[in-house]
Amino acid sequence: MPPYPLTAVVGMDDLVLSLLLSSVAPDIGGVLVRGEKGTAKSTAVRALANLLPPVDVISGCRFGCDPHAPDPECPDQPHGHEHHPRPARLVELPVGATEDRLLGSLDLDRALSAGVRAYEPGLLAAAHRGILYVDEVNLLHDHLVDVLLDAAAMGRVHIERESISITHASRFVLVGTMNPEEGELRPQLLDRFGLTVEVRASRDPDVRAEVVRRRLAFDADPDGFVKEWQDAERELAGRITSARERLVGVELSDGVLRQIAAVCAAFDVDGMRADLVVARTARAHAAWAGRSSVSSDDVRVAAMFALPHRRRRDPFDAPGMDENLLDEALRDNAPEDPEPPTDPDDGPEGGPEGGPGGQDPQNGPDSQDGADPQNGPDHGGPEGADDTTGPVAQTSSADAGAQQPSAGEPDPAEAKPQDDSENTDSPRAPAPTQDPVSATSPFKVRSFKVPGLGKGTAGRRSRALTTSGRTISTRPLDSGSSSRQAEAGRVHLPATLTAAAGRQQARGREPGGPVLLRRDDIRLGVREGREGNLILFCVDASGSMAAKQRMAAVKGAVLSLLLDAYQRRDRVGLITFRGREAELALPPTGAVEAARMRLDRLPTGGRTPLSEGLRRAWSVIGNERLRDPHRRPLLVLVTDGRHTAGEDPTRIAAEFARKGVRSVVVDCERGPVKLHMAAKLAAGLGGELISLDELRAESLAGMVREQVTNAGAPGTSRATRTSHTSRTERRIA
C-alpha cells in the first residue's frame, strides 16, 4: 500500500511545517512530535520521505557516500568512479531493536562460511543522508538512546566490538513521535531534537469529518487517492528542492542574530544549541517563504518550534511558551535596520503567502480552507504556520490551579493531631476534606534499590541480568538449562568461535573451508545491567497528615521520589488512603507526570485506614506480577504509622515480609512527642524506616561526614569508631 499523501493531511499545520523545515535544512536537528494517540503523527512522517529529492551515492558503497565528498574513513574504500541517484531513505528504528541491529555487527554468514571477520552495517549506516524515524521514542531503551546521542552529536558511528574496529559517517534527520501519557523523554535526547511540536486532534466537527472522509477514501482505493493528490505532492516536492537551493543565499543580518540571542536569553534556555537551532530554522523558514533575508516573523516561527522543550527545568514542567513574553522580547530587540520588503516574485508560484508555511505568522490557519479536499498545498492547506496558538501546548491551567496553597489550615492540639471526624459514631460519615495544599520544592533523594539480581525490563535502578548490559561472563549452552540461560544473554560469537577453534583439525576442516561448529561450542553471553522496578507509592491522606501543613512536606517528598523514578525509568503507581477506604489514584504506568498531577489534587482529612492501604497495595502488586512477572516491586509507604479505622495492619504487613516485597516506610511523624508507630510498621513489613529529613541525599552525606568526623576525633576509642562505622553502614545499606 502506498503511503498517505502529506498534502492530504488535514488540521496538522504545525506538524507538517516543522517536518518541511527540517527537510529544507537537515542541520536543524530533526523534529520531536508529541501528542495524543490517533493524530496522524506516524502518517505524516512516513509521507515525508516521498517528497524528499533523491540523493547521489557511490555505486557499491553500503554507507551511501556522496560522490562529491566521499567519507575518507568509509569502510568500503577505495571507491569507484561510478555513482547513481537513489530515493531518500526513511529508516525506522523499532523500540525493541537490539544494539547490534542499530550499530551493525559481525557478518555471521562470512564468519562461519569463510572464517573471516567482516562487518555488517546497521540501521545508522542505512539512515545516512536520510531520515531516522523512531516511533514511541520515549519507550526506547537507554542503551539505544546512548548510541543515538553519540551518533547525533558527532555525525559518525564508532564500533569497537567483537574484534571489529569500524567508523563511518552517519548524518540523518532524527524524527521521533511519542505520546506523553506513556512517559517522558530523557533530557539529553530531548535536547538533541532541533524542533518540537505538540499535536492535538481538532475539536471542529467539520475538520474531523474531513479527516474521516479522506481516510475512508484512501482505504477504499489507495492508488486512486494517491493519484488524485499527485499534482499537489509533485508541487510540494519541487518547492522543497527550490527552498534548499535558495537557503544558501538567505541572509542573516547581525541585527536579527542579536535578536535571536536576546530571545533565547529572555527564556533562560541552557547552552547555545537553542540559539543555533533558532537561527537555522529562521533561515529555513525564510527560504521556504521565498525570502532572501531573515525577518522577525521568521524568528518568531523558529522560536515557537525550537524553545519550548529547552526551557523546561525538570521533567514535571509542562512544555510550552508564553507568547506574550516572546512578542515582547521580539519587539524590545527588533533589528535597528529596517527589514527589506517582501518581493512576491522571489518565491515560488503563488508567492510566500501560498503553500505550506507561507501564511503570515501573525495570522494562524484557523480557517477551514485546509478541509477542502480539492485544495492543494498552495491553498491554505495543512502545512501553514500556526503561530497564534503556537506549535506546542501551553501550560495547563489545571496544573497551575493545583499549585495554589490552601489558606487557613487548622492547627489541631498537639496532644491529639487527628481531626474531630475521627471520633464520629457513624460508620459511613463522610470524611471532612481540606483543600489540596501545594508541594514543597523537590530535592535529590536517596537511592533505593531492590536487593538481589533481577530479570526485569532494562532501566536504571536495581541490578539485573539483561540483554543490553555489559557482558560479565560467558557460559556453555546446556540442554537442561538453555531456556533460562537464553533469557540472560545472546550467543557470544567470539567465545563460541574460540571454543571451536581448537577442535577444527580433529573435525577435519579443510584449509579455507567453513568453520565446523557443534552444539557444545556455543557460548552464551551473561550480561548485567540495571532494571526498572514497579515503584508503588502508598500515601496516607488522613486528617493526622494534614496537621501543621505536614502534607506539603509529604507531597514534596513524594514529588522528589517521583522525579527519581522518572530518571530511573520505573513504572509508578499511586495509592491514597483516608476515611475508611483506599483508592488507586493512578494504576501503574510509565507516565510519572500523571502521578504528579494526581498528587497535586490530593485532598486530606478523615480517619486512617492503614490496613486498607496495605491491602490495596498487595492487590496491585499481585496484578502487576501477572502482567510482568519479572518486574520487581518496591513499596514506598508514606505515613506517620497511625491506624484509626479498619483492622490491625500487623497481619497484612507480615505478608509483605513473608513474600520478600521490598518496602520503605517514610516516617512523617513530627513534633516533640513521638509515638514511633512507623518504626513498628517498618519492622512488621521487614522494610527500611526513614524519616522525611533523612530522605534527602544531602542529609545522608552530612550524616556520613558527621559520623566520620566523630569517629576520628581525638580521644575516641577504636571500638567507638568501629561502632560509628557499623551504624553508618547499616543506615546507608
Side-chain angles (χ1 to χ4, degrees):
M1 179 181 294
Y4 192 88
L6 186 64
T7 50
V9 174
V10 181
M12 293 292 139
D13 303 335
D14 292 332
L15 168 59
V16 175
L17 178 59
S18 63
L19 293 174
L20 293 174
L21 293 180
S22 290
S23 302
V24 172
D27 58 350
I28 286 176
V31 183
L32 174 65
V33 186
R34 297 165 44 93
E36 56 193 18
K37 51 187 175 292
T39 49
K41 300 188 297 292
S42 301
T43 299
V45 175
R46 294 189 175 101
L48 178 66
N50 286 343
L51 301 175
L52 299 182
V55 295
D56 204 16
V57 298
I58 297 176
S59 299
C61 179
R62 298 173 297 167
F63 300 88
C65 281
D66 186 347
H68 306 291
D71 180 13
E73 299 182 78
C74 178
D76 283 353
Q77 287 274 26
H79 292 129
H81 298 289
E82 296 183 0
H83 56 89
H84 66 278
R86 78 171 184 199
R89 287 179 176 174
L90 174 69
V91 178
E92 296 194 36
L93 172 60
V95 171
T98 63
E99 189 175 344
D100 291 343
R101 187 70 189 96
L102 183 61
L103 284 173
S105 61
L106 189 66
D107 190 332
L108 293 178
D109 186 37
R110 296 184 63 184
L112 297 178
S113 62
V116 298
R117 292 196 303 266
Y119 172 70
E120 180 69 22
L123 295 177
L124 289 179
H128 181 45
R129 305 175 65 195
I131 299 174
L132 182 64
Y133 172 47
V134 188
D135 193 13
E136 306 294 349
V137 64
N138 52 324
L139 303 181
L140 201 64
H141 291 307
D142 278 355
H143 67 287
L144 298 182
V145 171
D146 295 336
V147 173
L148 279 182
L149 287 174
D150 290 339
M154 298 183 296
R156 300 195 66 83
V157 177
H158 297 276
I159 301 99
E160 299 286 347
R161 57 190 304 173
E162 298 172 349
S163 304
I164 294 177
S165 179
I166 293 290
T167 178
H168 65 82
S170 182
R171 294 181 178 86
F172 48 83
V173 177
L174 181 61
V175 180
T177 56
M178 60 174 284
N179 184 351
E181 295 177 357
E182 297 173 344
E184 284 293 345
L185 198 62
R186 279 177 55 181
Q188 295 90 341
L189 184 56
L190 181 64
D191 189 55
R192 286 295 173 186
F193 286 98
L195 311 179
T196 185
V197 58
E198 194 90 10
V199 296
R200 181 173 177 268
S202 174
R203 298 303 185 257
D204 189 316
D206 292 334
V207 175
R208 298 176 72 95
E210 184 60 31
V211 171
V212 175
R213 186 179 299 113
R214 294 189 186 186
R215 186 68 207 192
L216 292 177
F218 175 78
D219 293 339
D221 184 9
D223 294 330
F225 187 85
V226 170
K227 185 177 181 180
E228 179 184 349
W229 289 89
Q230 65 181 2
D231 291 339
E233 291 281 287
R234 191 181 301 111
E235 186 176 356
L236 185 58
R239 190 173 175 189
I240 293 176
T241 303
S242 300
R244 283 188 173 186
E245 297 171 352
R246 191 181 301 109
L247 179 64
V248 180
V250 172
E251 178 187 0
L252 180 65
S253 66
D254 289 342
V256 174
L257 185 57
R258 289 181 60 85
Q259 185 183 39
I260 291 173
V263 168
C264 293
F267 283 93
D268 196 26
V269 295
D270 295 331
M272 296 299 299
R273 184 174 287 117
D275 303 62
L276 289 170
V277 172
V278 172
R280 291 167 179 165
T281 307
R283 292 182 70 243
H285 189 266
W288 179 254
R291 291 189 286 269
S292 59
S293 61
V294 177
S295 67
S296 296
D297 292 341
D298 300 317
V299 175
R300 189 182 193 279
V301 173
M304 292 299 295
F305 283 128
L307 296 186
H309 62 299
R310 291 188 166 86
R311 59 182 299 271
R312 303 177 68 188
R313 284 294 171 262
D314 63 64
F316 299 131
D317 290 341
M321 288 187 65
D322 186 342
E323 294 191 52
N324 293 329
L325 178 59
L326 174 59
D327 292 334
E328 181 181 351
L330 289 170
R331 286 194 303 267
D332 294 344
N333 299 277
E336 295 180 1
D337 296 333
E339 298 174 1
T342 300
D343 185 359
D345 295 334
D346 290 343
E349 184 179 355
E353 296 295 333
Q359 299 171 351
D360 185 349
Q362 301 300 327
N363 299 322
D366 293 332
S367 66
Q368 302 306 324
D369 293 343
D372 186 357
Q374 302 301 323
N375 286 343
D378 288 341
H379 296 279
E383 295 81 4
D386 183 0
D387 294 316
T388 56
T389 57
V392 292
Q394 301 302 310
T395 303
S396 171
S397 59
D399 293 347
Q403 297 296 325
Q404 298 299 326
S406 59
E409 281 286 306
D411 187 3
E414 293 184 3
K416 188 177 180 181
Q418 291 87 351
D419 58 23
D420 295 335
S421 66
E422 301 208 353
N423 295 324
T424 180
D425 295 329
S426 173
R428 290 298 178 184
T433 300
Q434 300 180 13
D435 293 334
V437 297
S438 59
T440 58
S441 300
F443 49 83
K444 184 176 179 58
V445 298
R446 289 178 51 179
S447 175
F448 298 103
K449 296 179 174 62
V450 178
L453 198 62
K455 298 180 182 178
T457 305
R460 303 182 66 188
R461 184 172 296 274
S462 306
R463 294 174 58 236
L465 293 178
T466 66
T467 59
S468 58
R470 61 187 181 91
T471 301
I472 57 175
S473 64
T474 61
R475 62 178 67 181
L477 176 64
D478 298 331
S479 57
S481 58
S482 59
S483 60
R484 178 178 60 84
Q485 292 172 345
E487 293 178 358
R490 300 185 300 273
V491 174
H492 194 275
L493 186 60
T496 300
L497 295 178
T498 300
R503 307 171 183 176
Q504 296 304 297
Q505 186 175 3
R507 292 173 182 173
R509 181 197 175 197
E510 299 179 358
V515 177
L516 303 179
L517 293 177
R518 301 289 185 270
R519 179 181 175 84
D520 57 352
D521 296 328
I522 297 178
R523 298 293 185 270
L524 295 177
V526 180
R527 303 190 180 197
E528 180 180 319
R530 297 283 177 177
E531 67 176 358
N533 297 115
L534 168 63
I535 311 298
L536 186 59
F537 293 95
C538 195
V539 180
D540 186 350
S542 63
S544 63
M545 297 291 292
K548 297 181 180 180
Q549 294 289 331
R550 187 185 307 171
M551 201 62 193
V554 169
K555 286 186 176 183
V558 177
L559 185 64
S560 304
L561 290 166
L562 282 171
L563 180 60
D564 181 69
Y566 162 81
Q567 294 169 341
R568 298 180 185 276
R569 316 302 287 178
D570 296 313
R571 286 179 63 83
V572 172
L574 177 63
I575 294 173
T576 62
F577 55 93
R578 57 185 290 271
R580 292 186 176 274
E581 60 184 16
E583 176 189 1
L584 181 59
L586 180 71
T589 176
V592 296
E593 167 66 11
R596 196 272 302 171
M597 295 175 62
R598 297 301 207 293
L599 189 69
D600 280 344
R601 298 192 292 263
L602 179 64
T604 57
R607 291 175 175 266
T608 311
L610 182 55
S611 58
E612 292 299 318
L614 291 176
R615 192 178 305 279
R616 192 62 182 269
W618 181 263
S619 174
V620 171
I621 290 175
N623 292 337
E624 286 300 305
R625 278 180 170 169
L626 294 176
R627 295 189 182 97
D628 187 355
H630 295 306
R631 187 179 289 272
R632 297 186 292 168
L634 171 62
L635 174 66
V636 180
L637 181 59
V638 185
T639 181
D640 56 8
R642 305 183 186 189
H643 58 93
T644 59
E647 62 179 291
D648 191 319
T650 303
R651 185 180 65 83
I652 185 67
E655 286 296 312
F656 281 87
R658 187 173 66 86
K659 292 293 186 178
V661 176
R662 169 82 161 114
S663 58
V664 176
V665 178
V666 181
D667 186 4
C668 303
E669 190 174 32
R670 296 287 181 88
V673 179
K674 297 184 178 180
L675 302 179
H676 302 289
M677 299 184 69
K680 299 177 183 177
L681 179 61
L685 289 168
E688 179 180 1
L689 176 70
I690 184 171
S691 69
L692 278 176
D693 296 332
E694 293 174 337
L695 189 62
R696 296 178 179 266
E698 54 266 30
S699 299
L700 175 64
M703 180 188 69
V704 173
R705 286 193 295 270
E706 180 182 356
Q707 295 289 350
V708 172
T709 302
N710 293 339
T716 304
S717 65
R718 179 177 182 180
T720 303
R721 291 196 299 270
T722 302
S723 175
H724 278 308
T725 303
S726 299
R727 287 199 301 270
T728 302
E729 290 177 349
R730 284 197 299 270
R731 299 187 74 175
I732 295 175

